[in-house]
Amino acid sequence: MLKNKNIIVALTGSIAAYKAAELVRLIKKSEAEVRIIMTDAAKEFITPITMQALSGNPIHSNLLDMEAEAAMGHIELAKWADAIVVSPCSANTLAKISQGLGSDLLTAVILASEAKVFLAPAMNQQMWNAQITQENVVRASSLGHKILGPGEGEQACGDIGSGRMLEPEEIFAALEAFSLSLLEGKKVLITAGPTQEPIDPVRYLSNHSSGKMGYALAEAAEAAGASVTLVSGPVNLRASSSIEVIDVVTAKDMFAEVKRSIEAADIFIGCAAVADYSPVNTHSQKIKKNLNENLLLELEPNPDILKFVSENYSNKTIIGFSAETENVEDFAREKLVAKNLDFIVANDVSRNDIAFNAAENEVLIISKDKTKALAKASKILVAHQILNYIHQDSLLH
Ligand code: C5P
């Protein structure tokens, strides 16, 4: 809940501006106060009257407007806010914020405010991938601003790629996590992605894990106030700059890094799809093909990282993941017991629409005496719900 919080929702010129209406509705429903800032371009996409009616307050737009300044000036507005969420955030406004411009009301308010700033980028995939935009993202995030998304998929212009604004529910979940600060002062260690076990210099054994669930958990934990270390196998994802990412390749590397960081952690989340076996011998040169005979690979078991953590650090909250293709709940519960975990999150990886490599997930959270089913939702929403549930279950020690 955002009860009694003061939130500025700022709209810039993007087709995704219509989604801000739903975001404002969600924020109002949770009993927060909302003020709206609209850039001139934003007004071309959604009318100020719509936003005014939803927020219950007059729209703020002009920096140099005596009447508006007399009612609630930009400095007053900046001081009033607990959080400012720029949704949608255009490439242009992102550039201005990251360079410290104060050339319109929105950027001046951000400069003058101590409030937490959330930026939900929305733009064409080419604009998002432009080198300068990417540099601006890094800069904005190093200033402490939280970048929410963007998501991937089909865009208004017909392109497919990265740059779609997150859905209102996802932005709201991040605001809520920030406001509740459930994990304030906690250290969370997360493993994510697949591991790769080299056969020779050009080949490896691996699996279909994309790392999206682990990265979503890292972002959600960070938004909830935790300090997060993410030990990540090879993936195509980038975490916020406030998250410490340790890149690894093999299960043995991942194990070594977890051993190095576990002592300081309060919560361990093993979300990685760690390869269970690795080749006994890694050939130093590429294996030559000989199509006249079979090639036998001898594999040895990898260390079970999660089991090691639960056996040696039972004072921590330990959460595992379980990827199953059948009897999902039973197999996951067996793992919960065998590995002595506080929670296990079970995924059905036989489905194409969720889990491995998908944007969405539908999971069961299993603890010793109960099972909680979460409805299918984007991985970032599922991540927030997992952390909220675990917290509510008040098992965090
Ligand atoms: O036993 P299984 O490998 O199916 O258990 C899955 C859980 O254990 C996941 O949380 C995964 O991250 C973790 N795991 C691990 N080390 C391994 C294998 C799995 O930490 N070697």
Side-chain angles (χ1 to χ4, degrees), residues 191 251 268 270-276 302-307 319-324 335 339 344:
T191 64
F268 177 74
C271 188
V274 186
D276 291 323
N302 277 327
D304 191 323
I305 304 169
L306 186 60
K307 197 148 184 266
I319 302 145
F321 273 69
S322 150
E324 305 294 348
K335 253 178 231 179
K339 300 199 190 203
I344 194 150

Coordinates of all heavy atoms in Angstrom, one line a residue, residues 191 251 268 270-276 302-307 319-324 335 339 344, ligand 1:
T191 N 21.3 -16.4 -7.2 CA 22.0 -17.0 -8.3 C 21.0 -17.0 -9.5 O 19.8 -17.2 -9.2 CB 22.5 -18.4 -8.1 OG1 21.3 -19.3 -7.9 CG2 23.4 -18.6 -6.9
A251 N 29.3 -24.1 -13.2 CA 28.7 -24.4 -11.8 C 29.8 -24.2 -10.8 O 29.5 -23.7 -9.7 CB 28.1 -25.8 -11.8
F268 N 19.2 -16.1 0.9 CA 19.8 -16.7 -0.3 C 18.7 -17.2 -1.2 O 17.8 -18.0 -0.8 CB 20.7 -17.9 0.1 CG 21.3 -18.6 -1.1 CD1 22.3 -17.9 -1.9 CD2 20.9 -19.8 -1.6 CE1 22.8 -18.5 -3.0 CE2 21.4 -20.4 -2.7 CZ 22.4 -19.8 -3.4
G270 N 18.3 -19.3 -4.6 CA 19.0 -20.1 -5.7 C 18.0 -20.2 -6.9 O 17.2 -21.1 -6.9
C271 N 18.2 -19.3 -7.8 CA 17.2 -19.3 -9.0 C 17.9 -19.8 -10.2 O 17.3 -20.1 -11.2 CB 16.7 -17.9 -9.2 SG 15.4 -17.7 -10.3
A272 N 19.2 -20.0 -10.1 CA 20.0 -20.4 -11.3 C 19.6 -21.9 -11.7 O 19.3 -22.7 -10.9 CB 21.5 -20.4 -11.0
A273 N 19.7 -22.1 -13.0 CA 19.5 -23.5 -13.5 C 20.9 -24.1 -13.6 O 21.5 -24.0 -14.7 CB 18.8 -23.5 -14.8
V274 N 21.4 -24.5 -12.5 CA 22.8 -24.9 -12.5 C 22.9 -26.3 -13.2 O 22.1 -27.2 -12.9 CB 23.3 -25.1 -11.0 CG1 24.8 -25.4 -10.9 CG2 23.0 -23.9 -10.2
A275 N 23.9 -26.4 -14.0 CA 24.1 -27.8 -14.7 C 24.4 -28.8 -13.6 O 25.2 -28.6 -12.8 CB 25.2 -27.7 -15.7
D276 N 23.7 -29.9 -13.7 CA 23.9 -31.0 -12.7 C 25.3 -31.7 -12.9 O 25.8 -32.3 -12.0 CB 22.8 -31.9 -12.7 CG 21.5 -31.3 -12.1 OD1 21.6 -30.5 -11.2 OD2 20.4 -31.6 -12.7
N302 N 28.1 -31.9 -10.5 CA 28.6 -30.6 -10.0 C 28.2 -30.5 -8.5 O 27.3 -31.2 -8.1 CB 27.9 -29.5 -10.8 CG 28.6 -29.2 -12.1 OD1 29.9 -29.4 -12.1 ND2 27.9 -28.9 -13.1
P303 N 28.8 -29.6 -7.8 CA 28.4 -29.4 -6.4 C 27.0 -28.8 -6.4 O 26.6 -28.1 -7.3 CB 29.4 -28.3 -5.9 CG 30.0 -27.7 -7.2 CD 30.0 -28.8 -8.2
D304 N 26.2 -29.2 -5.4 CA 24.9 -28.7 -5.3 C 25.0 -27.4 -4.4 O 25.1 -27.5 -3.1 CB 23.9 -29.7 -4.6 CG 22.5 -29.3 -4.7 OD1 22.2 -28.0 -4.5 OD2 21.6 -30.1 -5.0
I305 N 24.9 -26.3 -5.0 CA 25.2 -25.0 -4.3 C 24.1 -24.8 -3.2 O 24.4 -24.4 -2.1 CB 25.2 -23.8 -5.3 CG1 26.2 -24.1 -6.4 CG2 25.5 -22.5 -4.7 CD1 26.2 -23.2 -7.6
L306 N 22.9 -24.9 -3.6 CA 21.8 -24.7 -2.7 C 21.8 -25.6 -1.5 O 21.7 -25.1 -0.3 CB 20.5 -24.9 -3.5 CG 19.2 -24.6 -2.8 CD1 19.1 -23.1 -2.4 CD2 18.0 -24.9 -3.7
K307 N 22.2 -26.8 -1.7 CA 22.3 -27.8 -0.6 C 23.4 -27.4 0.3 O 23.3 -27.4 1.6 CB 22.5 -29.2 -1.2 CG 22.2 -30.3 -0.2 CD 21.7 -31.5 -1.0 CE 21.4 -32.6 0.0 NZ 22.4 -33.6 0.2
I319 N 15.8 -19.9 -0.2 CA 14.7 -20.1 -1.1 C 15.3 -20.8 -2.4 O 16.3 -20.3 -3.0 CB 14.1 -18.8 -1.5 CG1 13.6 -18.1 -0.3 CG2 13.0 -19.0 -2.6 CD1 13.7 -16.6 -0.3
G320 N 14.7 -21.9 -2.7 CA 15.2 -22.6 -3.9 C 14.2 -22.5 -5.0 O 13.0 -22.1 -4.8
F321 N 14.6 -22.9 -6.2 CA 13.6 -23.0 -7.3 C 13.7 -24.4 -7.8 O 14.6 -25.2 -7.7 CB 14.1 -22.1 -8.5 CG 13.5 -20.7 -8.3 CD1 13.9 -19.9 -7.3 CD2 12.5 -20.2 -9.2 CE1 13.4 -18.6 -7.1 CE2 11.9 -19.0 -9.0 CZ 12.4 -18.2 -7.9
S322 N 12.6 -24.8 -8.4 CA 12.5 -26.2 -8.9 C 11.9 -26.2 -10.3 O 10.8 -25.6 -10.5 CB 11.7 -27.0 -7.9 OG 11.0 -28.0 -8.5
A323 N 12.6 -26.7 -11.3 CA 12.1 -26.7 -12.6 C 11.7 -28.1 -12.9 O 12.5 -29.0 -12.9 CB 13.2 -26.3 -13.6
E324 N 10.4 -28.3 -13.1 CA 9.9 -29.7 -13.3 C 9.0 -29.8 -14.6 O 8.5 -28.8 -15.0 CB 9.0 -30.1 -12.2 CG 9.7 -30.0 -10.8 CD 10.8 -31.0 -10.6 OE1 11.0 -31.9 -11.5 OE2 11.6 -30.8 -9.6
K335 N 12.1 -31.8 -2.9 CA 13.3 -31.0 -2.9 C 13.4 -30.1 -1.7 O 14.5 -29.9 -1.1 CB 13.4 -30.2 -4.2 CG 14.4 -30.7 -5.2 CD 14.4 -29.9 -6.4 CE 14.2 -30.8 -7.6 NZ 14.2 -30.1 -8.9
K339 N 16.6 -30.7 0.6 CA 17.6 -29.6 0.7 C 17.3 -28.8 1.9 O 18.1 -27.8 2.1 CB 17.6 -28.8 -0.5 CG 17.9 -29.6 -1.8 CD 18.3 -28.7 -3.0 CE 18.3 -29.5 -4.3 NZ 19.2 -28.9 -5.3
I344 N 10.4 -23.3 -1.5 CA 10.8 -23.6 -2.9 C 9.8 -23.1 -3.9 O 8.5 -23.2 -3.6 CB 11.1 -25.1 -3.1 CG1 11.8 -25.4 -4.4 CG2 9.8 -26.0 -3.0 CD1 12.8 -26.6 -4.3
Ligands
C5P1 O1 17.8 -30.6 -7.3 P1 17.6 -29.6 -8.3 O2 18.8 -29.3 -9.1 O3 16.5 -29.8 -9.2 O4 17.2 -28.3 -7.5 C1 17.0 -27.0 -8.0 C2 17.4 -25.9 -7.1 O5 18.7 -26.2 -6.7 C3 17.5 -24.6 -7.8 O6 17.2 -23.6 -6.8 C4 18.9 -24.4 -8.2 O7 19.3 -23.1 -8.3 C5 19.6 -25.2 -7.1 N1 20.8 -25.9 -7.6 C6 22.0 -25.5 -7.1 N2 23.2 -26.2 -7.4 C7 23.1 -27.3 -8.3 C8 21.9 -27.7 -8.8 C9 20.7 -27.0 -8.4 O8 22.1 -24.6 -6.3 N3 24.2 -27.9 -8.6

